[in-house]
Amino acid sequence: MALSSVNLSQAFDLEPVIAGDDIDNSDLVWNLDQFKQQKLAQEFALQFENRLCIYSVSVAKIYTNYNVFFPKEENRQLVILPNPFAFHDIFQEVPEVAVKPTGLMIIPDYYSAKKQKMMLRIPLRQGNEPYRFIPLNKGLKLINSRRPPDQPLLPLLVKGDFRELDEGTPSLHLHSINLNKVSGLSPMEIAGIRSVILAKMDCL
């Protein structure tokens, strides 16, 4: 996945429409105060708009269809806007216990021959180097190739995953959902969660 040019003005000009209990959902409002490079952070965030699912702890929902919005009147905020006309794209009653941090980070590679492609930073348990860096899509596929087929890595974002590693490097930490710990949903709904996350992951 390449960090292509994005039209930030579109993200500022959106008219937010939020329905139901999402109106007061603070999990969908992310503070950007910690980012020293605000424009760079906004451009980076827009690369993943609708490409990674969002999990909200407070309402136990997974949002798969949304826009990213930067309110002009609320400086240094990023707002996730679920599509109010696509209720079928929201999975409800997903328990927090099923969603865990992975330690995996997505970062831009500004120095690669392919300008501004995305890299996956993988923590290492052994060796002299603390991390391994692999192109994003290749890295995700490599991880899943080494996992049991019925327990794939299913990445999600939660509030707090959007971070700045240093003064010029925005990053996204990844959570993952364990579908074996999701109770209360039908097999069709569980299969739907798996399918949509894997489809989005394949396009990264």
Side-chain angles (χ1 to χ4, degrees), residues 4-182:
S4 58
S5 60
V6 294
N7 188 345
L8 276 177
S9 64
Q10 292 180 354
F12 284 99
D13 293 339
L14 281 171
E15 288 294 333
V17 178
I18 307 178
D21 56 4
D22 296 326
I23 294 176
D24 299 318
N25 187 353
S26 62
D27 288 345
L28 301 182
V29 180
W30 298 359
N31 196 314
L32 303 183
D33 280 338
Q34 74 274 24
F35 289 91
K36 297 179 178 63
Q37 300 285 343
Q38 286 285 310
K39 183 178 179 181
L40 186 63
Q42 291 167 347
E43 290 175 345
F44 181 79
L46 285 175
Q47 299 304 311
F48 296 94
E49 181 181 50
N50 239 358
R51 292 183 173 179
L52 285 165
C53 296
I54 308 293
Y55 176 69
S56 169
V57 175
S58 62
V59 296
K61 291 181 179 180
I62 294 175
Y63 300 94
T64 70
N65 188 342
Y66 61 89
N67 289 109
V68 169
F69 173 59
F70 302 106
K72 291 181 180 178
E73 66 277 10
E74 297 290 344
N75 192 27
R76 295 175 179 257
Q77 282 190 348
L78 179 157
V79 180
I80 305 294
L81 298 175
N83 187 331
F85 308 108
F87 296 106
H88 56 282
D89 290 336
I90 300 175
F91 294 95
Q92 307 193 41
E93 299 182 16
V94 179
E96 182 181 358
V97 68
V99 179
K100 298 295 183 183
T102 66
L104 300 170
M105 303 284 288
I106 299 174
I107 62 172
D109 182 3
Y110 297 121
Y111 306 103
S112 109
K114 296 181 179 179
K115 291 184 178 180
Q116 301 179 331
K117 70 179 181 181
M118 296 295 173
M119 302 294 286
L120 186 66
R121 192 183 79 170
I122 303 174
L124 301 178
R125 297 179 181 178
Q126 299 178 342
N128 297 326
E129 299 296 330
Y131 305 107
R132 180 181 179 186
F133 297 88
I134 305 177
L136 177 56
N137 188 269
K138 180 179 178 181
L140 293 172
K141 288 181 177 179
L142 177 64
I143 290 172
N144 273 343
S145 73
R146 298 181 178 181
R147 292 175 63 93
D150 62 336
Q151 297 179 34
L153 173 75
L154 298 172
L156 298 166
L157 297 178
V158 304
K159 186 175 183 177
D161 279 341
F162 189 28
R163 310 169 185 176
E164 190 171 61
L165 292 184
D166 54 45
E167 292 187 2
T169 308
S171 67
L172 285 170
H173 170 260
L174 296 179
H175 278 69
S176 182
I177 183 169
N178 183 346
L179 295 178
N180 292 330
K181 294 186 178 181
V182 176

